[in-house]
Structures are given as structure tokens and as C-alpha cells.
Short mmCIF file of all heavy atoms in Angstrom, two decimals:
data_model
loop_
_atom_site.label_atom_id
_atom_site.label_comp_id
_atom_site.label_asym_id
_atom_site.label_seq_id
_atom_site.Cartn_x
_atom_site.Cartn_y
_atom_site.Cartn_z
N SER A 25 7.54 43.38 50.14
CA SER A 25 6.42 42.93 49.34
C SER A 25 5.48 44.23 48.84
O SER A 25 5.15 44.94 49.73
CB SER A 25 5.40 41.99 50.03
OG SER A 25 4.42 41.53 49.24
N ILE A 26 5.48 44.43 47.57
CA ILE A 26 4.62 45.42 47.03
C ILE A 26 3.27 44.88 46.74
O ILE A 26 3.15 43.78 46.18
CB ILE A 26 5.28 46.13 45.81
CG1 ILE A 26 4.65 47.39 45.41
CG2 ILE A 26 5.51 45.17 44.68
CD1 ILE A 26 5.31 48.27 44.40
N SER A 27 2.27 45.78 46.98
CA SER A 27 0.85 45.36 46.71
C SER A 27 0.26 46.60 46.24
O SER A 27 0.58 47.80 46.61
CB SER A 27 0.27 44.55 47.73
OG SER A 27 0.12 45.33 48.95
N ARG A 28 -1.04 46.36 45.58
CA ARG A 28 -1.91 47.63 45.22
C ARG A 28 -3.38 47.26 45.62
O ARG A 28 -3.85 46.10 45.51
CB ARG A 28 -1.77 48.10 43.93
CG ARG A 28 -2.15 46.93 42.85
CD ARG A 28 -1.61 47.24 41.45
NE ARG A 28 -2.16 48.51 40.91
CZ ARG A 28 -1.67 49.18 39.92
NH1 ARG A 28 -0.51 48.78 39.29
NH2 ARG A 28 -2.17 50.40 39.54
N ASP A 29 -4.11 48.26 46.01
CA ASP A 29 -5.47 48.20 46.30
C ASP A 29 -6.12 49.19 45.40
O ASP A 29 -6.22 50.43 45.83
CB ASP A 29 -5.81 48.35 47.73
CG ASP A 29 -7.29 48.15 48.19
OD1 ASP A 29 -8.13 48.32 47.13
OD2 ASP A 29 -7.62 47.90 49.26
N ASN A 30 -6.60 48.90 44.30
CA ASN A 30 -7.14 49.84 43.33
C ASN A 30 -8.49 50.48 43.93
O ASN A 30 -8.67 51.66 43.58
CB ASN A 30 -7.42 49.07 41.98
CG ASN A 30 -6.18 48.77 41.22
OD1 ASN A 30 -5.15 49.22 41.57
ND2 ASN A 30 -6.40 47.95 40.34
N ALA A 31 -9.19 49.85 44.65
CA ALA A 31 -10.34 50.41 45.20
C ALA A 31 -10.09 51.55 46.20
O ALA A 31 -10.91 52.46 46.19
CB ALA A 31 -11.21 49.29 45.92
N LYS A 32 -8.86 51.45 46.89
CA LYS A 32 -8.46 52.58 47.73
C LYS A 32 -7.45 53.50 46.97
O LYS A 32 -7.10 54.43 47.65
CB LYS A 32 -7.84 51.89 48.83
CG LYS A 32 -8.81 51.14 49.80
CD LYS A 32 -8.18 50.61 51.04
CE LYS A 32 -9.22 49.87 51.91
NZ LYS A 32 -8.53 49.23 53.11
N ASN A 33 -7.11 53.23 45.76
CA ASN A 33 -6.22 54.01 45.08
C ASN A 33 -4.84 54.07 45.87
O ASN A 33 -4.28 55.22 45.98
CB ASN A 33 -6.65 55.44 44.79
CG ASN A 33 -7.93 55.42 43.89
OD1 ASN A 33 -7.96 54.59 43.04
ND2 ASN A 33 -8.76 56.32 44.07
N THR A 34 -4.40 53.03 46.30
CA THR A 34 -3.28 52.99 47.22
C THR A 34 -2.28 51.91 46.83
O THR A 34 -2.82 50.66 46.49
CB THR A 34 -3.71 52.82 48.72
OG1 THR A 34 -4.57 53.97 49.02
CG2 THR A 34 -2.61 52.77 49.71
N VAL A 35 -0.98 52.09 46.82
CA VAL A 35 -0.10 51.06 46.81
C VAL A 35 0.75 50.91 48.12
O VAL A 35 0.93 51.91 48.80
CB VAL A 35 0.88 51.28 45.64
CG1 VAL A 35 1.70 52.63 45.81
CG2 VAL A 35 1.81 50.18 45.41
N TYR A 36 1.09 49.71 48.51
CA TYR A 36 1.85 49.39 49.78
C TYR A 36 3.22 48.86 49.63
O TYR A 36 3.41 48.19 48.58
CB TYR A 36 0.93 48.48 50.59
CG TYR A 36 -0.47 48.96 50.93
CD1 TYR A 36 -1.45 48.58 50.04
CD2 TYR A 36 -0.69 49.92 51.95
CE1 TYR A 36 -2.77 48.97 50.28
CE2 TYR A 36 -2.11 50.25 52.18
CZ TYR A 36 -3.10 49.81 51.29
OH TYR A 36 -4.39 50.26 51.66
N LEU A 37 3.94 49.02 50.48
CA LEU A 37 5.30 48.26 50.56
C LEU A 37 5.44 47.74 51.99
O LEU A 37 5.67 48.52 52.94
CB LEU A 37 6.41 49.32 50.31
CG LEU A 37 7.76 48.56 50.05
CD1 LEU A 37 7.81 47.52 49.00
CD2 LEU A 37 8.89 49.56 50.05
N GLN A 38 5.30 46.49 52.11
CA GLN A 38 5.40 45.85 53.34
C GLN A 38 7.06 45.50 53.59
O GLN A 38 7.52 44.90 52.67
CB GLN A 38 4.77 44.51 53.48
CG GLN A 38 4.91 43.77 54.71
CD GLN A 38 4.45 44.47 55.98
OE1 GLN A 38 3.36 44.99 55.91
NE2 GLN A 38 5.16 44.46 57.11
N MET A 39 7.56 46.03 54.60
CA MET A 39 9.01 45.74 54.73
C MET A 39 9.28 45.01 56.01
O MET A 39 9.03 45.45 57.06
CB MET A 39 9.73 47.25 54.79
CG MET A 39 9.34 48.14 53.74
SD MET A 39 9.77 49.91 53.97
CE MET A 39 11.49 49.77 54.14
N ASN A 40 9.85 43.79 55.90
CA ASN A 40 10.24 43.01 57.00
C ASN A 40 11.63 42.66 57.02
O ASN A 40 12.43 43.01 56.17
CB ASN A 40 9.43 41.61 56.85
CG ASN A 40 7.92 41.79 56.76
OD1 ASN A 40 7.38 42.64 57.47
ND2 ASN A 40 7.36 40.87 56.02
N SER A 41 12.20 42.35 58.16
CA SER A 41 13.51 42.02 58.51
C SER A 41 14.44 43.12 58.01
O SER A 41 15.45 42.92 57.24
CB SER A 41 13.94 40.66 57.78
OG SER A 41 13.10 39.66 58.11
N LEU A 42 14.01 44.23 58.42
CA LEU A 42 14.80 45.56 58.04
C LEU A 42 16.25 45.49 58.47
O LEU A 42 16.53 45.03 59.61
CB LEU A 42 14.14 46.77 58.44
CG LEU A 42 12.85 47.07 57.79
CD1 LEU A 42 11.88 48.06 58.65
CD2 LEU A 42 13.05 47.74 56.35
N LYS A 43 17.07 46.02 57.67
CA LYS A 43 18.44 46.16 57.83
C LYS A 43 18.92 47.51 57.90
O LYS A 43 18.22 48.50 57.26
CB LYS A 43 19.25 45.34 56.73
CG LYS A 43 18.93 43.91 56.58
CD LYS A 43 19.52 43.26 55.44
CE LYS A 43 19.21 41.87 55.35
NZ LYS A 43 19.91 41.17 54.11
N LEU A 44 20.15 47.83 58.50
CA LEU A 44 20.69 49.17 58.53
C LEU A 44 20.69 49.77 57.22
O LEU A 44 20.47 51.04 57.02
CB LEU A 44 22.05 49.17 59.10
CG LEU A 44 22.04 48.74 60.57
CD1 LEU A 44 23.55 48.78 61.07
CD2 LEU A 44 21.19 49.62 61.38
N GLU A 45 21.08 49.05 56.24
CA GLU A 45 21.16 49.60 54.85
C GLU A 45 19.92 49.91 54.09
O GLU A 45 19.91 50.42 53.02
CB GLU A 45 22.00 48.63 53.92
CG GLU A 45 21.52 47.25 53.76
CD GLU A 45 22.25 46.34 54.84
OE1 GLU A 45 22.48 46.78 55.96
OE2 GLU A 45 22.38 45.10 54.40
N ASP A 46 18.82 49.51 54.72
CA ASP A 46 17.44 50.00 54.21
C ASP A 46 17.03 51.44 54.59
O ASP A 46 16.19 51.87 54.08
CB ASP A 46 16.36 49.08 54.80
CG ASP A 46 16.60 47.60 54.28
OD1 ASP A 46 16.88 47.47 53.08
OD2 ASP A 46 16.30 46.58 55.11
N THR A 47 17.92 52.04 55.36
CA THR A 47 17.67 53.32 55.73
C THR A 47 17.67 54.38 54.62
O THR A 47 18.69 54.31 53.72
CB THR A 47 18.66 53.84 56.78
OG1 THR A 47 18.48 53.17 57.98
CG2 THR A 47 18.56 55.35 57.02
N ALA A 48 16.65 55.07 54.19
CA ALA A 48 16.51 55.95 53.13
C ALA A 48 15.21 56.67 53.12
O ALA A 48 14.24 56.28 53.91
CB ALA A 48 16.65 55.08 51.85
N VAL A 49 15.11 57.62 52.29
CA VAL A 49 13.77 58.28 51.93
C VAL A 49 13.16 57.38 50.89
O VAL A 49 13.68 57.14 49.89
CB VAL A 49 13.89 59.68 51.58
CG1 VAL A 49 12.50 60.20 51.15
CG2 VAL A 49 14.60 60.47 52.64
N TYR A 50 11.86 56.86 51.21
CA TYR A 50 11.23 56.07 50.17
C TYR A 50 10.17 56.85 49.39
O TYR A 50 9.39 57.59 50.10
CB TYR A 50 10.50 54.88 50.95
CG TYR A 50 11.54 53.90 51.38
CD1 TYR A 50 12.46 53.99 52.35
CD2 TYR A 50 11.59 52.54 50.76
CE1 TYR A 50 13.41 53.16 52.73
CE2 TYR A 50 12.53 51.61 51.09
CZ TYR A 50 13.41 51.89 52.04
OH TYR A 50 14.31 50.90 52.43
#
């Protein structure tokens, strides 16, 4: 799930149920 908080000038990526194939540089 991607979200943004403009007040904090920040974007997030919540990653759940991670799998081996999710391994990467983000």
C-alpha cells in the first residue's frame, strides 16, 4: 500500500505478506 503525507513531505510503502521475490533495492 502506497500513501503520502504532504505535511511531512513523505511517501510510504507498506509491505505486507512479503515473499522471497520481493527482495530488491527499492
Side-chain angles (χ1 to χ4, degrees):
S25 179
I26 187 172
S27 62
R28 63 194 297 165
D29 187 337
N30 291 341
K32 296 181 178 180
N33 296 326
T34 301
V35 63
Y36 304 94
L37 184 68
Q38 179 66 47
M39 310 165 64
N40 300 323
S41 302
L42 284 162
K43 303 176 180 180
L44 296 178
E45 55 263 39
D46 294 320
T47 295
V49 176
Y50 284 72

